[in-house]
Amino acid sequence: MGTEEINLTGDFLIDEMKYEKVIYKKCELLNILDGLLRLCDKAECLKADILYEGI
């Protein structure tokens, strides 16, 4: 099962000269990834592209 929180490395913070730490709740991160998977499936069916412009 693992932990309830997942620690990820985010962007490099040039002012602090280190990478930011990003903490997600496992269920929240899984929901985000599930939504991305559904978006990819839809784009594949429609033979469409997905344009990512950052967060």
Side-chain angles (χ1 to χ4, degrees), residues 7-23:
N7 299 311
L8 300 175
T9 301
D11 291 330
F12 185 75
L13 305 172
I14 193 131
D15 295 337
E16 300 176 32
M17 297 300 291
K18 66 178 186 178
Y19 287 94
E20 68 180 332
K21 303 288 185 203
V22 183
I23 301 171

Side-chain angles (χ1 to χ4, degrees), residues 23-35:
I23 301 171
Y24 283 98
K25 291 184 180 176
K26 181 169 53 174
C27 62
E28 179 184 342
L29 185 58
L30 289 174
N31 286 335
I32 292 169
L33 292 173
D34 186 55

